[in-house]
Amino acid sequence: LVILQVEGDSQLHYFSPWVTQEAFLRNIGAAAVQTLVIRKHPRRDPSPALQKVIESLPKWRLDDSPTLSDALQRFDVMATINSSSAVEALDKKALVLCFGQAVFRQRGALLCMGPDVGELRAVTQNLKNQPVWEEGQHAVVSAILARQWNEGNVRRKLHQLLESLPR
């Protein structure tokens, strides 16, 4: 499962080896030994040009799962530049290939990848034998969740933040 970023996102431009989604997909496609299932960003469809590229290549197709959670029940490997969806994949014990500078990019939790097509081909040809480091995954997910604001803790965290400000 390949996760798309928002085209033009600073994460793509400044924190990855690629400047465009197309370049990222072509790099992965050059190493692919199986069909690539591409999941669009939940808030933005791929540009018409990128959509055309995806549809033109025989080993690529768009994911039709209604939610990321549903997709992760079908796929146990995720490739992303630095989408936060990787945190959910790590929590579900999926193998994550991270291609960008992400806060969750921690050796021992996922595979830290770069633009080297040969390295990527070697990894993808041997996916079933790649280790999944559940302890490292748990550590990364726990650290992120401990700092994350959600409906259950926003009131407490906001109060703590306001109390810490100088008066």
Short mmCIF file of all heavy atoms in Angstrom, two decimals, residues 16-83:
data_model
loop_
_atom_site.label_atom_id
_atom_site.label_comp_id
_atom_site.label_asym_id
_atom_site.label_seq_id
_atom_site.Cartn_x
_atom_site.Cartn_y
_atom_site.Cartn_z
N SER A 16 11.91 15.00 1.80
CA SER A 16 11.98 13.75 1.05
C SER A 16 12.96 13.94 -0.10
O SER A 16 13.27 15.06 -0.47
CB SER A 16 10.60 13.36 0.51
OG SER A 16 10.31 14.04 -0.69
N PRO A 17 13.42 12.84 -0.68
CA PRO A 17 14.33 12.94 -1.83
C PRO A 17 13.62 13.38 -3.12
O PRO A 17 14.27 13.62 -4.12
CB PRO A 17 14.86 11.52 -2.00
CG PRO A 17 14.48 10.76 -0.79
CD PRO A 17 13.31 11.47 -0.19
N TRP A 18 12.30 13.48 -3.10
CA TRP A 18 11.54 13.83 -4.31
C TRP A 18 10.84 15.16 -4.13
O TRP A 18 10.51 15.56 -3.03
CB TRP A 18 10.51 12.75 -4.63
CG TRP A 18 11.16 11.43 -4.79
CD1 TRP A 18 11.79 10.95 -5.90
CD2 TRP A 18 11.30 10.42 -3.80
NE1 TRP A 18 12.31 9.71 -5.67
CE2 TRP A 18 12.03 9.36 -4.37
CE3 TRP A 18 10.91 10.30 -2.48
CZ2 TRP A 18 12.35 8.21 -3.68
CZ3 TRP A 18 11.22 9.16 -1.78
CH2 TRP A 18 11.94 8.12 -2.39
N VAL A 19 10.54 15.80 -5.25
CA VAL A 19 9.81 17.06 -5.21
C VAL A 19 8.36 16.86 -5.62
O VAL A 19 7.50 17.64 -5.27
CB VAL A 19 10.50 18.11 -6.12
CG1 VAL A 19 9.73 19.42 -6.14
CG2 VAL A 19 11.92 18.36 -5.63
N THR A 20 8.09 15.77 -6.33
CA THR A 20 6.72 15.50 -6.77
C THR A 20 6.30 14.08 -6.40
O THR A 20 7.15 13.20 -6.23
CB THR A 20 6.58 15.65 -8.30
OG1 THR A 20 7.34 14.61 -8.94
CG2 THR A 20 7.02 17.02 -8.78
N GLN A 21 5.01 13.89 -6.32
CA GLN A 21 4.46 12.56 -6.08
C GLN A 21 4.81 11.63 -7.24
O GLN A 21 5.09 10.46 -7.05
CB GLN A 21 2.92 12.63 -5.99
CG GLN A 21 2.45 13.52 -4.90
CD GLN A 21 2.15 12.74 -3.66
OE1 GLN A 21 2.89 11.86 -3.24
NE2 GLN A 21 1.05 13.07 -3.06
N GLU A 22 4.74 12.17 -8.44
CA GLU A 22 5.03 11.36 -9.61
C GLU A 22 6.45 10.79 -9.53
O GLU A 22 6.67 9.60 -9.81
CB GLU A 22 4.86 12.15 -10.90
CG GLU A 22 5.11 11.30 -12.13
CD GLU A 22 4.90 12.04 -13.45
OE1 GLU A 22 4.28 13.12 -13.45
OE2 GLU A 22 5.35 11.50 -14.48
N ALA A 23 7.41 11.61 -9.14
CA ALA A 23 8.80 11.13 -9.03
C ALA A 23 8.89 10.02 -7.97
O ALA A 23 9.59 9.01 -8.18
CB ALA A 23 9.73 12.28 -8.68
N PHE A 24 8.20 10.19 -6.86
CA PHE A 24 8.18 9.17 -5.80
C PHE A 24 7.58 7.87 -6.34
O PHE A 24 8.16 6.79 -6.19
CB PHE A 24 7.37 9.70 -4.61
CG PHE A 24 7.08 8.68 -3.54
CD1 PHE A 24 8.10 8.02 -2.88
CD2 PHE A 24 5.78 8.42 -3.16
CE1 PHE A 24 7.82 7.09 -1.87
CE2 PHE A 24 5.48 7.50 -2.16
CZ PHE A 24 6.51 6.83 -1.52
N LEU A 25 6.43 7.98 -7.00
CA LEU A 25 5.77 6.78 -7.52
C LEU A 25 6.59 6.09 -8.60
O LEU A 25 6.68 4.87 -8.65
CB LEU A 25 4.38 7.13 -8.06
CG LEU A 25 3.35 7.53 -7.00
CD1 LEU A 25 2.05 7.94 -7.67
CD2 LEU A 25 3.12 6.41 -6.00
N ARG A 26 7.20 6.88 -9.47
CA ARG A 26 8.04 6.27 -10.52
C ARG A 26 9.24 5.54 -9.92
O ARG A 26 9.64 4.49 -10.40
CB ARG A 26 8.45 7.31 -11.54
CG ARG A 26 7.29 7.74 -12.43
CD ARG A 26 7.77 8.49 -13.65
NE ARG A 26 6.66 8.94 -14.45
CZ ARG A 26 5.99 8.18 -15.33
NH1 ARG A 26 6.32 6.92 -15.49
NH2 ARG A 26 4.99 8.68 -16.03
N ASN A 27 9.81 6.11 -8.86
CA ASN A 27 10.93 5.47 -8.18
C ASN A 27 10.50 4.13 -7.59
O ASN A 27 11.16 3.11 -7.79
CB ASN A 27 11.48 6.40 -7.10
CG ASN A 27 12.69 5.84 -6.40
OD1 ASN A 27 12.56 5.19 -5.38
ND2 ASN A 27 13.85 6.10 -6.95
N ILE A 28 9.39 4.12 -6.89
CA ILE A 28 8.89 2.88 -6.31
C ILE A 28 8.49 1.91 -7.42
O ILE A 28 8.78 0.72 -7.35
CB ILE A 28 7.70 3.17 -5.37
CG1 ILE A 28 8.20 3.84 -4.10
CG2 ILE A 28 6.95 1.89 -5.03
CD1 ILE A 28 7.13 4.15 -3.10
N GLY A 29 7.83 2.43 -8.45
CA GLY A 29 7.41 1.59 -9.57
C GLY A 29 8.57 0.91 -10.26
O GLY A 29 8.46 -0.23 -10.72
N ALA A 30 9.71 1.59 -10.34
CA ALA A 30 10.89 1.01 -10.99
C ALA A 30 11.42 -0.20 -10.23
O ALA A 30 12.06 -1.07 -10.82
CB ALA A 30 11.99 2.07 -11.12
N ALA A 31 11.13 -0.26 -8.95
CA ALA A 31 11.63 -1.37 -8.12
C ALA A 31 10.56 -2.42 -7.85
O ALA A 31 10.88 -3.49 -7.33
CB ALA A 31 12.14 -0.82 -6.80
N ALA A 32 9.33 -2.13 -8.18
CA ALA A 32 8.22 -3.02 -7.81
C ALA A 32 8.30 -4.37 -8.51
O ALA A 32 8.56 -4.44 -9.70
CB ALA A 32 6.89 -2.35 -8.12
N VAL A 33 8.07 -5.39 -7.73
CA VAL A 33 7.99 -6.74 -8.28
C VAL A 33 6.55 -7.24 -8.23
O VAL A 33 6.25 -8.33 -8.71
CB VAL A 33 8.94 -7.72 -7.55
CG1 VAL A 33 10.38 -7.36 -7.82
CG2 VAL A 33 8.64 -7.76 -6.06
N GLN A 34 5.67 -6.45 -7.62
CA GLN A 34 4.26 -6.80 -7.55
C GLN A 34 3.42 -5.55 -7.85
O GLN A 34 3.96 -4.47 -8.01
CB GLN A 34 3.90 -7.38 -6.18
CG GLN A 34 4.09 -6.44 -5.01
CD GLN A 34 5.47 -6.50 -4.42
OE1 GLN A 34 6.41 -6.03 -5.01
NE2 GLN A 34 5.61 -7.05 -3.24
N THR A 35 2.13 -5.73 -7.92
CA THR A 35 1.23 -4.61 -8.18
C THR A 35 1.30 -3.62 -7.04
O THR A 35 1.31 -4.00 -5.86
CB THR A 35 -0.22 -5.11 -8.33
OG1 THR A 35 -0.27 -5.99 -9.45
CG2 THR A 35 -1.19 -3.95 -8.55
N LEU A 36 1.37 -2.33 -7.37
CA LEU A 36 1.36 -1.28 -6.36
C LEU A 36 -0.06 -0.76 -6.18
O LEU A 36 -0.71 -0.37 -7.16
CB LEU A 36 2.26 -0.11 -6.78
CG LEU A 36 3.75 -0.40 -6.82
CD1 LEU A 36 4.51 0.83 -7.29
CD2 LEU A 36 4.25 -0.84 -5.46
N VAL A 37 -0.52 -0.78 -4.97
CA VAL A 37 -1.84 -0.25 -4.64
C VAL A 37 -1.61 1.11 -3.99
O VAL A 37 -0.92 1.21 -2.98
CB VAL A 37 -2.61 -1.20 -3.72
CG1 VAL A 37 -3.98 -0.61 -3.39
CG2 VAL A 37 -2.74 -2.57 -4.37
N ILE A 38 -2.17 2.13 -4.61
CA ILE A 38 -1.90 3.50 -4.19
C ILE A 38 -3.13 4.06 -3.49
O ILE A 38 -4.24 3.99 -4.02
CB ILE A 38 -1.52 4.36 -5.41
CG1 ILE A 38 -0.26 3.76 -6.04
CG2 ILE A 38 -1.33 5.81 -5.02
CD1 ILE A 38 -0.01 4.19 -7.44
N ARG A 39 -2.91 4.61 -2.30
CA ARG A 39 -4.01 5.21 -1.54
C ARG A 39 -3.86 6.72 -1.61
O ARG A 39 -2.86 7.29 -1.21
CB ARG A 39 -3.98 4.75 -0.09
CG ARG A 39 -5.14 5.33 0.70
CD ARG A 39 -5.47 4.50 1.92
NE ARG A 39 -6.60 5.07 2.61
CZ ARG A 39 -7.87 4.81 2.34
NH1 ARG A 39 -8.17 3.97 1.38
NH2 ARG A 39 -8.84 5.39 3.01
N LYS A 40 -4.92 7.36 -2.13
CA LYS A 40 -4.89 8.81 -2.25
C LYS A 40 -5.02 9.46 -0.88
O LYS A 40 -5.46 8.83 0.09
CB LYS A 40 -5.98 9.29 -3.19
CG LYS A 40 -7.39 9.09 -2.67
CD LYS A 40 -8.42 9.58 -3.66
CE LYS A 40 -9.80 9.50 -3.01
NZ LYS A 40 -10.83 10.07 -3.84
N HIS A 41 -4.62 10.71 -0.80
CA HIS A 41 -4.76 11.47 0.43
C HIS A 41 -6.26 11.64 0.73
O HIS A 41 -7.04 11.89 -0.19
CB HIS A 41 -4.08 12.84 0.27
CG HIS A 41 -3.93 13.56 1.56
ND1 HIS A 41 -4.96 14.30 2.11
CD2 HIS A 41 -2.90 13.64 2.42
CE1 HIS A 41 -4.55 14.81 3.25
NE2 HIS A 41 -3.31 14.42 3.47
N PRO A 42 -6.67 11.51 1.98
CA PRO A 42 -8.11 11.57 2.27
C PRO A 42 -8.75 12.94 1.99
O PRO A 42 -9.97 13.03 1.82
CB PRO A 42 -8.19 11.24 3.76
CG PRO A 42 -6.84 11.51 4.30
CD PRO A 42 -5.88 11.27 3.17
N ARG A 43 -7.96 13.98 1.93
CA ARG A 43 -8.54 15.31 1.72
C ARG A 43 -8.29 15.89 0.34
O ARG A 43 -8.76 16.97 0.02
CB ARG A 43 -7.99 16.27 2.77
CG ARG A 43 -8.46 15.89 4.16
CD ARG A 43 -8.32 17.03 5.13
NE ARG A 43 -8.86 16.63 6.42
CZ ARG A 43 -8.11 16.29 7.44
NH1 ARG A 43 -6.81 16.31 7.36
NH2 ARG A 43 -8.68 15.94 8.58
N ARG A 44 -7.52 15.19 -0.49
CA ARG A 44 -7.23 15.73 -1.81
C ARG A 44 -6.97 14.62 -2.80
O ARG A 44 -6.10 13.78 -2.59
CB ARG A 44 -6.02 16.65 -1.72
CG ARG A 44 -5.82 17.39 -3.01
CD ARG A 44 -5.28 18.78 -2.95
NE ARG A 44 -5.64 19.59 -1.83
CZ ARG A 44 -4.81 20.41 -1.23
NH1 ARG A 44 -3.57 20.51 -1.64
NH2 ARG A 44 -5.20 21.14 -0.22
N ASP A 45 -7.73 14.62 -3.88
CA ASP A 45 -7.50 13.66 -4.95
C ASP A 45 -6.19 13.97 -5.66
O ASP A 45 -5.75 15.12 -5.68
CB ASP A 45 -8.65 13.72 -5.97
CG ASP A 45 -9.93 13.08 -5.45
OD1 ASP A 45 -9.83 12.24 -4.53
OD2 ASP A 45 -11.01 13.43 -5.95
N PRO A 46 -5.59 12.96 -6.29
CA PRO A 46 -4.40 13.22 -7.09
C PRO A 46 -4.75 14.20 -8.23
O PRO A 46 -5.89 14.22 -8.70
CB PRO A 46 -4.02 11.87 -7.67
CG PRO A 46 -4.76 10.86 -6.86
CD PRO A 46 -5.96 11.55 -6.29
N SER A 47 -3.79 14.98 -8.65
CA SER A 47 -4.02 15.89 -9.77
C SER A 47 -4.41 15.06 -10.99
O SER A 47 -4.08 13.88 -11.08
CB SER A 47 -2.75 16.68 -10.07
OG SER A 47 -1.76 15.82 -10.60
N PRO A 48 -5.11 15.68 -11.96
CA PRO A 48 -5.45 14.93 -13.18
C PRO A 48 -4.22 14.32 -13.85
O PRO A 48 -4.27 13.20 -14.35
CB PRO A 48 -6.13 15.98 -14.06
CG PRO A 48 -6.70 16.96 -13.08
CD PRO A 48 -5.71 17.01 -11.94
N ALA A 49 -3.11 15.06 -13.84
CA ALA A 49 -1.89 14.54 -14.47
C ALA A 49 -1.38 13.31 -13.73
O ALA A 49 -1.00 12.30 -14.36
CB ALA A 49 -0.82 15.63 -14.51
N LEU A 50 -1.38 13.36 -12.40
CA LEU A 50 -0.91 12.21 -11.62
C LEU A 50 -1.89 11.04 -11.76
O LEU A 50 -1.46 9.89 -11.88
CB LEU A 50 -0.74 12.60 -10.15
CG LEU A 50 -0.16 11.50 -9.25
CD1 LEU A 50 1.20 11.04 -9.74
CD2 LEU A 50 -0.08 11.99 -7.81
N GLN A 51 -3.15 11.34 -11.77
CA GLN A 51 -4.17 10.29 -11.97
C GLN A 51 -3.93 9.57 -13.29
O GLN A 51 -3.98 8.35 -13.38
CB GLN A 51 -5.57 10.92 -11.95
CG GLN A 51 -6.69 9.93 -12.11
CD GLN A 51 -7.00 9.14 -10.85
OE1 GLN A 51 -6.82 9.63 -9.75
NE2 GLN A 51 -7.43 7.92 -11.03
N LYS A 52 -3.61 10.34 -14.31
CA LYS A 52 -3.35 9.76 -15.64
C LYS A 52 -2.11 8.86 -15.60
O LYS A 52 -2.10 7.77 -16.19
CB LYS A 52 -3.16 10.90 -16.65
CG LYS A 52 -3.27 10.48 -18.08
CD LYS A 52 -3.16 11.69 -18.99
CE LYS A 52 -4.44 11.80 -19.77
NZ LYS A 52 -4.43 12.89 -20.72
N VAL A 53 -1.08 9.30 -14.88
CA VAL A 53 0.14 8.49 -14.75
C VAL A 53 -0.19 7.18 -14.04
O VAL A 53 0.22 6.10 -14.49
CB VAL A 53 1.24 9.26 -13.98
CG1 VAL A 53 2.40 8.36 -13.59
CG2 VAL A 53 1.75 10.43 -14.81
N ILE A 54 -0.94 7.25 -12.95
CA ILE A 54 -1.30 6.05 -12.19
C ILE A 54 -2.08 5.07 -13.06
O ILE A 54 -1.81 3.87 -13.08
CB ILE A 54 -2.11 6.43 -10.93
CG1 ILE A 54 -1.22 7.19 -9.94
CG2 ILE A 54 -2.71 5.18 -10.27
CD1 ILE A 54 -1.97 7.85 -8.79
N GLU A 55 -3.04 5.59 -13.80
CA GLU A 55 -3.88 4.73 -14.65
C GLU A 55 -3.12 4.15 -15.84
O GLU A 55 -3.49 3.12 -16.38
CB GLU A 55 -5.09 5.52 -15.15
CG GLU A 55 -6.06 5.86 -14.03
CD GLU A 55 -7.12 6.87 -14.44
OE1 GLU A 55 -7.08 7.37 -15.59
OE2 GLU A 55 -7.98 7.16 -13.61
N SER A 56 -2.03 4.81 -16.24
CA SER A 56 -1.30 4.37 -17.44
C SER A 56 -0.34 3.22 -17.18
O SER A 56 0.11 2.57 -18.12
CB SER A 56 -0.54 5.55 -18.05
OG SER A 56 0.59 5.87 -17.25
N LEU A 57 -0.01 2.97 -15.94
CA LEU A 57 0.98 1.95 -15.65
C LEU A 57 0.31 0.66 -15.20
O LEU A 57 -0.53 0.66 -14.30
CB LEU A 57 1.97 2.47 -14.61
CG LEU A 57 2.78 3.65 -15.18
CD1 LEU A 57 3.42 4.44 -14.10
CD2 LEU A 57 3.81 3.14 -16.17
N PRO A 58 0.67 -0.46 -15.82
CA PRO A 58 -0.05 -1.71 -15.60
C PRO A 58 0.08 -2.27 -14.18
O PRO A 58 -0.79 -2.99 -13.72
CB PRO A 58 0.55 -2.67 -16.63
CG PRO A 58 1.85 -2.08 -17.01
CD PRO A 58 1.74 -0.59 -16.79
N LYS A 59 1.15 -1.98 -13.49
CA LYS A 59 1.35 -2.54 -12.15
C LYS A 59 0.79 -1.64 -11.05
O LYS A 59 1.07 -1.86 -9.88
CB LYS A 59 2.83 -2.77 -11.89
CG LYS A 59 3.40 -3.98 -12.56
CD LYS A 59 4.79 -4.24 -12.03
CE LYS A 59 5.25 -5.62 -12.38
NZ LYS A 59 6.52 -5.94 -11.77
N TRP A 60 0.04 -0.62 -11.40
CA TRP A 60 -0.48 0.31 -10.41
C TRP A 60 -1.99 0.31 -10.43
O TRP A 60 -2.62 0.21 -11.46
CB TRP A 60 -0.01 1.73 -10.70
CG TRP A 60 1.46 1.96 -10.65
CD1 TRP A 60 2.44 1.02 -10.48
CD2 TRP A 60 2.13 3.19 -10.77
NE1 TRP A 60 3.67 1.61 -10.51
CE2 TRP A 60 3.51 2.94 -10.68
CE3 TRP A 60 1.70 4.50 -10.96
CZ2 TRP A 60 4.46 3.95 -10.75
CZ3 TRP A 60 2.65 5.50 -11.03
CH2 TRP A 60 4.02 5.22 -10.93
N ARG A 61 -2.57 0.47 -9.25
CA ARG A 61 -4.02 0.69 -9.17
C ARG A 61 -4.31 1.48 -7.89
O ARG A 61 -3.54 1.45 -6.94
CB ARG A 61 -4.79 -0.61 -9.20
CG ARG A 61 -4.66 -1.49 -7.99
CD ARG A 61 -5.58 -2.71 -8.09
NE ARG A 61 -5.43 -3.59 -6.96
CZ ARG A 61 -6.03 -3.43 -5.79
NH1 ARG A 61 -6.83 -2.42 -5.57
NH2 ARG A 61 -5.85 -4.31 -4.81
N LEU A 62 -5.44 2.17 -7.89
CA LEU A 62 -5.84 2.94 -6.72
C LEU A 62 -6.55 2.04 -5.71
O LEU A 62 -7.31 1.16 -6.09
CB LEU A 62 -6.77 4.09 -7.12
CG LEU A 62 -6.07 5.28 -7.77
CD1 LEU A 62 -7.10 6.28 -8.29
CD2 LEU A 62 -5.12 5.97 -6.80
N ASP A 63 -6.29 2.28 -4.45
CA ASP A 63 -6.95 1.56 -3.37
C ASP A 63 -8.41 2.00 -3.31
O ASP A 63 -8.71 3.19 -3.39
CB ASP A 63 -6.24 1.88 -2.05
CG ASP A 63 -6.92 1.24 -0.86
OD1 ASP A 63 -7.32 0.07 -0.96
OD2 ASP A 63 -7.06 1.92 0.17
N ASP A 64 -9.30 1.04 -3.16
CA ASP A 64 -10.72 1.37 -3.09
C ASP A 64 -11.29 1.16 -1.69
O ASP A 64 -12.51 1.18 -1.50
CB ASP A 64 -11.51 0.57 -4.12
CG ASP A 64 -11.36 -0.94 -3.94
OD1 ASP A 64 -10.67 -1.38 -3.00
OD2 ASP A 64 -11.94 -1.68 -4.75
N SER A 65 -10.45 0.97 -0.70
CA SER A 65 -10.92 0.78 0.67
C SER A 65 -11.56 2.08 1.17
O SER A 65 -11.03 3.16 0.93
CB SER A 65 -9.75 0.43 1.60
OG SER A 65 -9.06 -0.69 1.13
N PRO A 66 -12.67 1.98 1.91
CA PRO A 66 -13.33 3.19 2.39
C PRO A 66 -12.52 3.95 3.43
O PRO A 66 -12.61 5.18 3.53
CB PRO A 66 -14.65 2.68 2.98
CG PRO A 66 -14.50 1.22 3.15
CD PRO A 66 -13.43 0.76 2.21
N THR A 67 -11.70 3.24 4.22
CA THR A 67 -10.89 3.90 5.25
C THR A 67 -9.49 3.30 5.24
O THR A 67 -9.28 2.19 4.73
CB THR A 67 -11.49 3.71 6.66
OG1 THR A 67 -11.40 2.31 7.00
CG2 THR A 67 -12.93 4.21 6.75
N LEU A 68 -8.57 4.02 5.86
CA LEU A 68 -7.21 3.50 6.00
C LEU A 68 -7.23 2.22 6.84
O LEU A 68 -6.54 1.26 6.54
CB LEU A 68 -6.30 4.54 6.64
CG LEU A 68 -4.88 4.09 6.93
CD1 LEU A 68 -4.15 3.71 5.64
CD2 LEU A 68 -4.11 5.17 7.69
N SER A 69 -8.04 2.21 7.87
CA SER A 69 -8.15 1.03 8.72
C SER A 69 -8.56 -0.19 7.90
O SER A 69 -7.99 -1.29 8.07
CB SER A 69 -9.16 1.31 9.82
OG SER A 69 -8.86 0.59 10.96
N ASP A 70 -9.52 -0.01 7.01
CA ASP A 70 -9.94 -1.11 6.14
C ASP A 70 -8.79 -1.54 5.22
O ASP A 70 -8.57 -2.74 5.00
CB ASP A 70 -11.15 -0.70 5.29
CG ASP A 70 -12.42 -0.57 6.12
OD1 ASP A 70 -12.56 -1.28 7.12
OD2 ASP A 70 -13.27 0.26 5.75
N ALA A 71 -8.07 -0.57 4.67
CA ALA A 71 -6.94 -0.89 3.79
C ALA A 71 -5.88 -1.69 4.53
O ALA A 71 -5.31 -2.64 3.99
CB ALA A 71 -6.34 0.39 3.21
N LEU A 72 -5.62 -1.31 5.79
CA LEU A 72 -4.58 -2.00 6.57
C LEU A 72 -5.00 -3.42 6.96
O LEU A 72 -4.15 -4.22 7.34
CB LEU A 72 -4.21 -1.18 7.80
CG LEU A 72 -3.43 0.09 7.49
CD1 LEU A 72 -3.28 0.95 8.74
CD2 LEU A 72 -2.07 -0.24 6.88
N GLN A 73 -6.27 -3.73 6.84
CA GLN A 73 -6.70 -5.12 7.06
C GLN A 73 -6.37 -5.97 5.83
O GLN A 73 -6.22 -7.18 5.94
CB GLN A 73 -8.19 -5.18 7.36
CG GLN A 73 -8.51 -4.64 8.74
CD GLN A 73 -9.99 -4.73 9.07
OE1 GLN A 73 -10.75 -5.43 8.41
NE2 GLN A 73 -10.40 -4.02 10.10
N ARG A 74 -6.23 -5.33 4.68
CA ARG A 74 -5.94 -6.04 3.43
C ARG A 74 -4.45 -6.07 3.10
O ARG A 74 -3.99 -6.94 2.37
CB ARG A 74 -6.69 -5.39 2.28
CG ARG A 74 -8.20 -5.53 2.42
CD ARG A 74 -8.99 -4.78 1.36
NE ARG A 74 -8.44 -4.83 0.04
CZ ARG A 74 -8.53 -3.84 -0.84
NH1 ARG A 74 -9.15 -2.73 -0.54
NH2 ARG A 74 -8.00 -3.97 -2.04
N PHE A 75 -3.71 -5.08 3.59
CA PHE A 75 -2.28 -4.95 3.25
C PHE A 75 -1.45 -4.91 4.52
O PHE A 75 -1.79 -4.21 5.45
CB PHE A 75 -2.04 -3.68 2.44
CG PHE A 75 -2.87 -3.60 1.19
CD1 PHE A 75 -4.01 -2.82 1.15
CD2 PHE A 75 -2.53 -4.33 0.07
CE1 PHE A 75 -4.80 -2.75 0.01
CE2 PHE A 75 -3.31 -4.29 -1.08
CZ PHE A 75 -4.45 -3.49 -1.10
N ASP A 76 -0.36 -5.65 4.54
CA ASP A 76 0.49 -5.65 5.73
C ASP A 76 1.82 -4.94 5.51
O ASP A 76 2.72 -5.02 6.33
CB ASP A 76 0.71 -7.07 6.24
CG ASP A 76 1.30 -8.00 5.20
OD1 ASP A 76 1.53 -7.57 4.05
OD2 ASP A 76 1.53 -9.18 5.52
N VAL A 77 1.93 -4.22 4.38
CA VAL A 77 3.11 -3.42 4.08
C VAL A 77 2.65 -2.07 3.59
O VAL A 77 1.73 -1.97 2.77
CB VAL A 77 4.00 -4.09 2.99
CG1 VAL A 77 5.19 -3.21 2.66
CG2 VAL A 77 4.45 -5.47 3.43
N MET A 78 3.27 -1.01 4.10
CA MET A 78 2.95 0.35 3.68
C MET A 78 4.23 1.06 3.29
O MET A 78 5.25 0.95 3.97
CB MET A 78 2.29 1.13 4.82
CG MET A 78 2.07 2.62 4.47
SD MET A 78 1.54 3.61 5.88
CE MET A 78 -0.18 3.13 5.95
N ALA A 79 4.17 1.82 2.19
CA ALA A 79 5.26 2.69 1.78
C ALA A 79 4.74 4.12 1.84
O ALA A 79 3.67 4.42 1.34
CB ALA A 79 5.71 2.35 0.36
N THR A 80 5.52 4.99 2.47
CA THR A 80 5.13 6.38 2.60
C THR A 80 6.36 7.27 2.63
O THR A 80 7.44 6.81 2.98
CB THR A 80 4.29 6.61 3.88
OG1 THR A 80 3.88 7.97 3.95
CG2 THR A 80 5.06 6.25 5.13
N ILE A 81 6.16 8.51 2.25
CA ILE A 81 7.25 9.47 2.42
C ILE A 81 7.31 9.84 3.89
O ILE A 81 8.30 9.59 4.57
CB ILE A 81 7.05 10.70 1.52
CG1 ILE A 81 7.20 10.28 0.05
CG2 ILE A 81 8.07 11.79 1.88
CD1 ILE A 81 6.90 11.36 -0.95
N ASN A 82 6.25 10.42 4.39
CA ASN A 82 6.18 10.71 5.83
C ASN A 82 4.75 10.99 6.28
O ASN A 82 4.51 11.80 7.16
CB ASN A 82 7.11 11.86 6.22
CG ASN A 82 6.85 13.12 5.46
OD1 ASN A 82 5.86 13.25 4.76
ND2 ASN A 82 7.74 14.08 5.58
N SER A 83 3.81 10.28 5.71
CA SER A 83 2.41 10.43 6.09
C SER A 83 2.17 9.93 7.50
O SER A 83 2.69 8.88 7.90
CB SER A 83 1.52 9.65 5.12
OG SER A 83 0.19 9.64 5.59
#
